[in-house]
Amino acid sequence: MISTVPNIPGEFVKDNAHLKEKVAALLKLESYKFPGAQPVSFGAEHLTEIEQEDYFVAEKSDGVRCLALLTVNERKEPEVYLFDRKNNFYVVRNFRFPIPGDPSFRKCLNNTIIDGEFVLDKEPDGRMQLRFLLFDCLCIESKVLVSRGLMSRLGYLKSDIIKPHHEMIKKNPHMLKYQPFLVEFKEQQFTYHLDVVFNEIIPKLKHGNDGLIFTAVNAPYMMGTCKKMLKWKPLNENSVDFKASLIFPGSSLPGVKDYTAKPKINLLVWQGDREYKVFDQLGITEEEWKEQFGKNPKYMDGKIIECNYDPEVQERLGLPSPWRFMRYRDDKLDGNFQSVVDNVLNSIRDAVSKEQLIEHMPTIKKAWTKRKEQSGEPQADGRQAKKPRQE
């Protein structure tokens, strides 16, 4: 499926210093930083890890990662502040996340931070529907949850945030037409049900998919790079966010560049601060350049672009590099840091195929069963496992 990546809804907030302070205060941070957990790339060594430890797995949507701060203003009106990795904030006013147990749905959640991603689904009738798929909860009503395990955090997310919202919509269906987006829980399975994700969930998706996300069940929420959150992609879906630097050839006039010609497109890796280092160049044909970028040839220069690794296309088209343009990453201020690029390269060199993952399922299931027997925990089938949240 060709994916259409959505824009974050809401009104852009120019002065967001007070919102950053609020997020930092709620999460007990000394200063603001984007608190979203960032996965590491899946390598062969992680086959052992997902065997030895309980993990959830979900499809990796081709969407926009976004956290949401749920607040109530001084006029008792709900406000949802959506914020991304570029530290941009967008406010959606009067979007209601009612507190649980209130049949009037008048009082809304305050001082709450949830994690998710926006996707643009193509419905059977051709309509495009924006959805906010939620998969974690960092804080609810000023209660910080990041030190708790995933099962506990998901318990709060599903029962105290998503469920009351859905009950409100069910009893007031007329509200749907005023909602700028729909809210849903992102379905997750225990890892030994990988076949369900591959064979049932992904084929039925209404949006793009570029892999899987594994999240450790018992690990706390780790702000920043999280080694207990693993990002698996098929080999040709492994991607890196680079900064593009265009070098156009000279024209027949001294000192004048020929902007009608295809430039050499250097791919730069972020070293921190404002420093970048040349890594490789973009693999692109003359025809592709003219068709996709020829009308505005200088636009790409300095932009952050996501490139996937595809050596098969490189060999077939005789390209100088296997790195292929996927899309602009206007949601990011910088490209991937050097260590992130190194992890992706290690993942490429140490790639695990879909077939290897599925072949490993019986081993994962056997190890999971043994852990449950030793701990005395009941054994569910692991599909959309339901477990009471732990206070």
Side-chain angles (χ1 to χ4, degrees):
M1 173 182 288
I2 297 174
S3 174
T4 302
V5 178
N7 295 318
I8 297 175
E11 177 187 342
F12 180 71
V13 180
K14 292 182 180 179
D15 183 8
N16 60 25
H18 66 293
L19 295 171
K20 291 180 179 179
E21 290 176 3
K22 187 175 182 68
V23 170
L26 284 172
L27 297 175
K28 299 181 173 19
L29 303 173
E30 290 185 7
S31 60
Y32 175 82
K33 63 176 182 178
F34 180 70
Q38 303 296 326
V40 298
S41 295
F42 194 103
E45 73 276 10
H46 293 118
L47 282 172
T48 302
E49 182 164 344
I50 62 174
E51 173 190 331
Q52 295 179 346
E53 188 174 343
D54 291 348
Y55 269 80
F56 274 147
V57 61
E59 64 90 10
K60 184 178 180 297
S61 301
D62 193 4
V64 175
R65 173 75 175 282
C66 197
L67 271 66
L69 168 65
L70 314 183
T71 66
V72 178
N73 64 26
E74 64 276 3
R75 298 182 298 278
K76 307 296 182 184
E77 299 166 339
E79 292 178 333
V80 175
Y81 289 93
L82 305 166
F83 57 106
D84 62 12
R85 286 176 290 201
K86 290 177 71 175
N87 300 322
N88 291 324
F89 283 74
Y90 304 82
V91 60
V92 179
R93 305 184 197 280
N94 291 313
F95 193 98
R96 308 186 70 81
F97 282 96
I99 63 169
D102 177 11
S104 71
F105 308 112
R106 290 179 181 174
K107 188 175 181 181
C108 290
L109 289 168
N110 193 17
N111 296 330
T112 297
I113 300 174
I114 51 180
D115 195 355
E117 59 193 339
F118 279 99
V119 297
L120 203 53
D121 283 344
K122 186 172 184 179
E123 301 295 342
D125 61 2
R127 288 183 304 110
M128 301 304 292
Q129 175 63 60
L130 185 64
R131 283 184 169 86
F132 194 17
L133 304 182
L134 301 178
F135 49 72
D136 218 321
C137 181
L138 288 70
C139 177
I140 182 165
E141 288 287 331
S142 300
K143 180 188 290 186
V144 182
L145 304 179
V146 294
S147 64
R148 302 174 183 232
L150 180 62
M151 291 289 270
S152 175
R153 303 195 307 268
L154 293 183
Y156 280 99
L157 177 65
K158 295 172 78 172
S159 67
D160 289 13
I161 297 173
I162 297 177
K163 184 180 177 182
H165 177 81
H166 285 175
E167 288 175 345
M168 176 189 68
I169 296 297
K170 186 176 180 180
K171 291 186 179 180
N172 300 276
H174 65 279
M175 296 179 69
L176 268 179
K177 62 181 178 182
Y178 302 110
Q179 303 287 305
F181 53 86
L182 302 182
V183 173
E184 293 183 9
F185 176 71
K186 182 155 190 176
E187 189 173 353
Q188 304 182 50
Q189 313 288 336
F190 275 122
T191 307
Y192 56 80
H193 278 307
L194 267 168
D195 57 337
V196 175
V197 181
F198 279 127
N199 300 328
E200 297 180 25
I201 295 175
I202 291 177
K204 295 177 183 177
L205 290 176
K206 301 173 185 177
H207 54 264
N209 164 270
D210 61 357
L212 304 171
I213 291 286
F214 297 84
T215 309
V217 171
N218 299 312
Y221 187 98
M222 183 64 67
M223 291 179 266
T225 301
C226 178
K227 293 184 178 180
K228 292 297 182 180
M229 182 182 283
L230 312 173
K231 173 178 63 177
W232 176 87
K233 293 186 175 186
L235 185 59
N236 66 348
E237 289 284 359
N238 276 286
S239 65
V240 170
D241 298 330
F242 297 106
K243 176 177 276 191
S245 176
L246 275 56
I247 302 175
F248 287 91
S251 68
S252 57
L253 298 175
V256 178
K257 302 290 185 183
D258 182 3
Y259 294 112
T260 64
K262 180 175 80 72
K264 178 181 180 182
I265 305 169
N266 283 331
L267 303 175
L268 312 183
V269 174
W270 187 38
Q271 306 299 305
D273 296 325
R274 296 183 179 180
E275 185 181 351
Y276 279 82
K277 185 170 71 175
V278 175
F279 169 77
D280 203 337
Q281 61 178 296
L282 187 68
I284 187 169
T285 66
E286 293 276 356
E287 292 74 21
E288 288 171 335
W289 170 258
K290 289 178 182 178
E291 183 178 331
Q292 298 180 51
F293 311 105
K295 292 182 180 178
N296 193 358
K298 293 188 285 184
Y299 180 79
M300 186 189 288
D301 194 36
K303 294 287 191 297
I304 305 300
I305 61 172
E306 183 176 359
C307 301
N308 68 305
Y309 178 82
D310 200 333
E312 291 184 9
V313 171
Q314 177 193 15
E315 184 176 354
R316 177 163 51 85
L317 298 180
L319 301 174
S321 163
W323 295 100
R324 303 276 290 161
F325 177 86
M326 292 178 67
R327 58 173 172 164
Y328 289 106
R329 291 306 303 263
D330 294 330
D331 60 320
K332 301 186 74 173
L333 285 172
D334 287 292
N336 289 140
F337 189 66
Q338 182 68 58
S339 61
V340 176
V341 177
D342 291 341
N343 285 336
V344 173
L345 295 177
N346 288 336
S347 181
I348 289 171
R349 284 190 289 267
D350 204 19
V352 175
S353 68
K354 171 183 174 181
E355 290 72 25
Q356 286 174 296
L357 282 173
I358 293 176
E359 285 172 6
H360 209 66
M361 275 177 44
T363 306
I364 294 171
K365 174 65 174 176
K366 184 177 179 181
W368 183 89
T369 302
K370 185 176 181 180
R371 283 194 298 275
K372 299 312 161 193
E373 288 174 348
Q374 291 174 343
S375 67
E377 292 182 39
Q379 295 182 34
D381 72 352
R383 297 184 60 167
Q384 283 296 96
K386 295 181 179 179
K387 182 178 178 181
R389 66 177 186 231
Q390 303 297 314
E391 295 294 346

